[in-house]
Amino acid sequence: MNKENQEVMYRMKELAKTLNQASKAYYQDASEIMSNFEYDKLYDELVELEKKTGITLSNSPTQKVGYEVLSELPKEAHATRMLSLDKTKEVTELQEWLGAKEGVLSWKLDGLTIVLTYTQGKLAKAVTRGNGEVGEVITNNAKVFCNIPLEIPYMGELVLRGEAVITYSEFERINEEILDAEAKYKNPRNLCSGSVRQLNNKITAQRNVHFFAFSLVSCQGEVIPDFKNSREQQMLWLEEQGFDVVERKKVNRDNIAEIVTWFNQQIEKNDFPSDGLVLILDDIAYGQSLGTTSKFPRDSIAFKWQDETAETKLLEIEWSASRTGLINPVAIFEPVELEGTTVSRASLHNISIMEGMELGIGDTITIYKANMIIPQIAENLTRSGNIKYPSNCPVCNEKTIIKQENDVKVLMCDNPQCSAKQIKSFVHFMSRDAMNMEGLSEATIEKMVGRGFIRSLADLFHLDRYREEIISMEGFGERSFEKMLASIEKARKVNLPQFIYSLGIANVGLSNAKLICKAYHNDLDAIMKADYDTLVEIDRIGPVIAKAFQKFMQDEEKKKMIEDLRKEIEFQIDTEEVGEQSMESLQFVITGSVEQFANRKELKEHIEARGGKVTGSVTSKTNYLINNDNLSNSTKNKKAKELGISIITEQEFLNMFG
């Protein structure tokens, strides 16, 4: 083998190893070690080298579909192997691929593929895609998805495929209730994967998972529907059976470019995560006659968006310490315009990503938005690799350590007394939805902690002891100090749910705090003695929250902290909580701008305080959609009209419920 061929083989092995590591991290460990942009680029390079050499390595990701399933869920082999799709980023290639045939173009949803089997009109089985050959049985979980029909009119055996997804709005709601920045989910796909594969389907039910059918696999029985040899007709029939089917449009070679542009324009309005489009031949028989390659079906192809990129210069790496001890790198670069907005920073997630890109200050980098939303570094064009990791924590100055977690390198501060861990707790305690103390920024708190003015939460109520020192601090003066004191005094009177939320209990957001306080009749002593079995009986309080809550309340240091705070504050009864629960058992969705309330969040809290529930998506369980533009043709309005759900304005809502 000559030197050139040796180099090519080495590169192929290197690419296979790198791509397999990235796939394992993404699909199995729910973490990321490289961007989607970089993965696609390396994958395409490997495909070209395989074509050039005629050699395919046994561990090549071009010959694998997914990874081994690792869970305690039962495993089951699929009747037919589930293949991935070949892909392109060029509309002209879609036109050439389609030729004179008609096709169906739809969203390529970014979630978890599920195979459903119905027998005698009832849901009999749900299995995840897994590695394409063997999946996990998640039937109990599928039964609590938001929109899967448990019974359908068709009495034969029906097998179909679809995507389980979690909306961006639901993703944000769940992340809002997770205090620890590092514990927050990175994207809706990771959240969906974990939600669908839970061992306890009560948790799945709380996550509002949606299912969109995209393919009818088989249909057997005494009466077989006439699909007129059309994929589009199959999808229409699935809708008749009660399934939500992925949004789609019929296309041909002449109009496909225009339709791709239409889909592109919908991305900003779309609440469901997607990473491209899928084109399938409408002619079923012809498509099946084409067969498959070893990896791809020949009757369909994926289209991935041409990411808009911008070139800029890396100015610095900001190291941000968190309450968990993780110190995260954030890239700061010269501002650039992308997808209509100005961006100047992008999370790098961990050291592994930095090392893979060989980042250095002053490097020329390209930026893109993952799925056209989240800023990411696409490439480092100069690769100087001159960045050094801080040897000391940026907050407490203690030594940092590098740890390996699931094959990913992370930088950590191992000092349990690190002020950063306390500062984040102080900032949360003072936040608007908690104690609502104004005039104290995170930077100011950091200075006060550093000077020893604040060592515990209760110390916040005694900052008047340090009047002269605080007034002399940079950015502070007499007026600022008085305003801060007034805000602190006002915070001494607080509702119990806000106080519980302010304590920073893992996974306990304000809405959960309200549920717990209501269940224990606003009795703090009883709440502090809350046990796991009683907590899990509360609607929307799952095992994870119950365990975290009980553990917090049983901790001696936490008990002392609460008792110290009780000496400083006075609990007031929220008249909304003791008033008539006029919205008990009602479910609302809020969309568009509001006028009578400060924002949609305030309206949501108003509803929840009166016993109602607010969700992010319109379903058959929704009672009212609140939209001041109730005549618009928005997706939510259309859905509400289809389901016969009342669309009311904000004023109509107030007239009805007060």
Side-chain angles (χ1 to χ4, degrees):
M1 186 180 289
N2 62 38
K3 186 177 179 182
E4 183 182 350
N5 287 343
Q6 283 180 335
E7 289 176 354
V8 170
M9 284 297 297
Y10 176 79
R11 180 59 177 162
M12 288 171 65
K13 289 177 181 178
E14 183 181 52
L15 287 169
K17 180 180 177 182
T18 302
L19 291 167
N20 285 334
Q21 286 175 341
S23 291
K24 179 178 181 293
Y26 187 74
Y27 289 107
Q28 189 171 306
D29 301 328
S31 62
E32 291 184 59
I33 60 174
M34 68 170 61
S35 67
N36 288 340
F37 185 102
E38 187 177 2
Y39 183 94
D40 288 345
K41 182 184 176 186
L42 297 180
Y43 185 94
D44 291 342
E45 181 185 350
L46 179 57
V47 169
E48 288 305 311
L49 290 176
E50 289 179 347
K51 287 179 183 176
K52 178 181 177 181
T53 62
I55 298 170
T56 303
L57 301 169
S58 61
N59 69 335
S60 172
T62 67
Q63 298 303 302
K64 288 187 176 181
V65 185
Y67 256 84
E68 289 299 317
V69 176
L70 296 177
S71 83
E72 298 174 35
L73 292 166
K75 315 282 194 304
E76 181 169 306
H78 295 297
T80 56
R81 187 178 174 216
M82 295 177 66
L83 303 173
S84 58
L85 297 178
D86 199 1
K87 67 180 187 300
T88 181
K89 290 188 176 183
E90 302 293 338
V91 175
T92 53
E93 286 188 25
L94 289 183
Q95 291 173 317
E96 291 171 11
W97 183 90
L98 193 56
K101 295 288 184 180
E102 287 190 315
V104 179
L105 191 66
S106 63
W107 292 112
K108 185 175 182 293
L109 296 175
D110 193 15
L112 201 68
T113 300
I114 308 291
V115 182
L116 300 181
T117 301
Y118 286 77
T119 305
Q120 294 296 308
K122 294 184 178 180
L123 176 62
K125 189 167 53 182
V127 184
T128 67
R129 180 181 188 277
N131 66 2
E133 295 180 0
V134 178
E136 300 162 296
V137 179
I138 50 106
T139 311
N140 286 339
N141 293 344
K143 288 179 178 178
V144 296
F145 287 1
C146 285
N147 61 336
I148 279 186
L150 298 181
E151 297 185 16
I152 61 173
Y154 184 66
M155 289 291 108
E157 182 178 88
L158 168 66
V159 181
L160 69 149
R161 293 174 187 163
E163 198 83 354
V165 293
I166 285 180
T167 64
Y168 284 116
S169 52
E170 182 68 6
F171 167 73
E172 289 165 6
R173 179 191 72 79
I174 291 170
N175 263 353
E176 275 179 9
E177 298 190 349
I178 300 174
L179 305 182
D180 187 349
E182 295 313 311
K184 292 179 185 288
Y185 294 95
K186 299 292 186 250
N187 53 56
R189 186 195 182 283
N190 285 356
L191 173 58
C192 183
S193 177
S195 302
V196 168
R197 298 164 65 226
Q198 286 288 331
L199 298 177
N200 182 343
N201 69 351
K202 182 177 180 183
I203 299 172
T204 307
Q206 294 168 343
R207 300 285 176 81
N208 292 325
V209 179
H210 286 74
F211 176 86
F212 289 93
F214 60 66
S215 173
L216 191 155
V217 178
S218 65
C219 192
Q220 299 174 9
E222 291 183 9
V223 179
I224 304 295
D226 180 9
F227 299 125
K228 299 181 175 60
N229 192 37
S230 165
R231 293 287 183 189
E232 171 67 5
Q233 289 300 315
Q234 284 185 337
M235 292 180 178
L236 290 170
W237 182 79
L238 286 174
E239 286 180 342
E240 290 175 5
Q241 301 305 303
F243 295 98
D244 284 338
V245 179
V246 66
E247 188 175 19
R248 64 206 178 275
K249 287 187 178 292
K250 198 87 169 282
V251 294
N252 55 45
R253 182 168 51 194
D254 297 328
N255 71 2
I256 192 168
E258 179 186 341
I259 301 299
V260 168
T261 301
W262 180 87
F263 273 103
N264 192 359
Q265 292 169 345
Q266 306 309 306
I267 291 174
E268 277 190 32
K269 309 171 193 173
N270 200 359
D271 200 22
F272 293 99
S274 65
D275 55 0
L277 303 172
V278 174
L279 175 61
I280 187 168
L281 293 169
D282 186 55
D283 187 325
I284 298 172
Y286 176 71
Q288 290 175 342
S289 73
L290 298 176
T292 69
T293 68
S294 62
K295 184 175 172 65
F296 307 123
R298 289 195 172 99
D299 68 344
S300 51
I301 187 171
F303 174 80
K304 299 200 78 172
W305 306 113
Q306 281 279 10
D307 298 301
E308 181 184 339
T309 62
E311 196 172 290
T312 184
K313 180 201 249 181
L314 181 64
L315 300 177
E316 64 173 304
I317 297 295
E318 182 181 283
W319 296 92
S320 175
S322 73
R323 288 194 297 153
T324 62
L326 279 171
I327 303 173
N328 299 307
V330 179
I332 311 297
F333 44 82
E334 291 180 349
V336 290
E337 289 286 325
L338 274 181
E339 313 288 356
T341 61
T342 302
V343 295
S344 60
R345 54 195 293 129
S347 173
L348 293 166
H349 303 299
N350 52 59
I351 291 175
S352 291
I353 287 180
M354 288 182 59
E355 288 182 346
M357 291 188 173
E358 298 177 84
L359 288 172
I361 304 304
D363 277 351
T364 301
I365 57 176
T366 57
I367 308 297
Y368 78 109
K369 283 187 176 180
N371 289 350
M372 305 178 79
I373 294 173
I374 304 165
Q376 299 280 319
I377 295 180
E379 291 182 278
N380 181 11
L381 303 179
T382 46
R383 292 184 172 267
S384 66
N386 63 28
I387 291 174
K388 294 181 179 177
Y389 313 130
S391 56
N392 299 88
C393 172
V395 175
C396 71
N397 209 37
E398 290 291 321
K399 294 290 182 185
T400 58
I401 58 172
I402 293 177
K403 285 189 175 180
Q404 196 92 4
E405 296 186 351
N406 295 323
D407 296 326
V408 175
K409 283 185 183 178
V410 293
L411 187 69
M412 299 197 71
C413 171
D414 215 24
N415 174 20
Q417 303 305 317
C418 178
S419 301
K421 298 169 185 178
Q422 298 178 51
I423 290 166
K424 298 294 182 185
S425 299
F426 295 145
V427 171
H428 173 74
F429 181 79
M430 298 180 304
S431 63
R432 180 179 175 182
D433 288 340
M435 300 300 287
N436 195 21
M437 292 181 178
E438 297 177 349
L440 283 165
S441 67
E442 185 167 341
T444 302
I445 287 293
E446 189 172 343
K447 290 177 185 175
M448 291 183 179
V449 169
R451 296 189 185 192
F453 302 163
I454 303 170
R455 291 185 176 86
S456 69
L457 293 176
D459 288 340
L460 287 163
F461 293 96
H462 297 287
L463 290 175
D464 55 321
R465 298 170 181 168
Y466 306 101
R467 183 186 190 92
E468 297 306 318
E469 294 95 326
I470 293 173
I471 289 174
S472 65
M473 285 169 54
E474 185 179 349
F476 243 87
E478 187 80 36
R479 189 173 177 183
S480 299
F481 182 80
E482 291 300 334
K483 184 179 178 181
M484 178 191 74
L485 281 192
S487 179
I488 289 172
E489 284 305 306
K490 185 179 178 183
R492 288 184 183 274
K493 292 185 177 180
V494 66
N495 297 329
L496 187 57
Q498 287 177 277
F499 175 73
I500 295 297
Y501 172 63
S502 76
L503 298 176
I505 305 169
N507 300 314
V508 177
L510 183 58
S511 60
N512 288 332
K514 287 179 178 178
L515 292 171
I516 292 169
C517 290
K518 181 181 175 184
Y520 285 91
H521 308 291
N522 289 308
D523 183 343
L524 180 55
D525 290 318
I527 289 171
M528 290 177 69
K529 295 173 185 174
D531 63 87
Y532 173 85
D533 291 336
T534 308
L535 286 166
V536 291
E537 291 300 316
I538 301 172
D539 183 38
R540 287 187 275 166
I541 303 298
V544 173
I545 295 174
K547 285 178 184 175
F549 195 89
Q550 183 182 36
K551 182 180 178 182
F552 186 96
M553 289 300 177
Q554 289 180 349
D555 185 281
E556 291 302 322
E557 287 188 11
K558 299 294 191 296
K559 286 181 184 178
K560 183 180 184 305
M561 177 183 76
I562 293 172
E563 292 304 328
D564 288 344
L565 287 170
R566 289 180 82 168
K567 297 171 186 174
E568 307 295 341
I569 59 181
E570 175 186 339
F571 293 118
Q572 56 184 12
I573 303 299
D574 191 335
T575 53
E576 289 186 356
E577 291 180 9
V578 297
E580 180 187 354
Q581 299 292 302
S582 57
M583 302 175 204
E584 192 76 58
S585 77
L586 295 180
Q587 190 162 302
F588 298 81
V589 173
I590 307 167
T591 189
S593 59
V594 293
E595 299 164 1
Q596 308 292 332
F597 292 82
N599 47 46
R600 285 190 292 185
K601 187 175 181 182
E602 186 176 86
L603 174 53
K604 177 176 181 284
E605 291 173 357
H606 178 83
I607 292 170
E608 288 175 344
R610 289 163 172 78
K613 181 180 178 183
V614 178
T615 62
S617 304
V618 177
T619 70
S620 58
K621 295 179 182 178
T622 305
N623 297 102
Y624 296 97
L625 170 63
I626 302 173
N627 186 357
N628 283 326
D629 187 7
N630 59 353
L631 299 178
S632 78
N633 287 318
S634 68
T635 304
K636 288 180 180 175
N637 273 26
K638 286 179 182 176
K639 188 68 175 177
K641 289 172 185 175
E642 287 173 12
L643 297 173
I645 291 163
S646 298
I647 305 172
I648 59 175
T649 64
E650 198 178 354
Q651 189 57 57
E652 288 171 330
F653 165 80
L654 291 172
N655 293 342
M656 292 169 69
F657 298 103

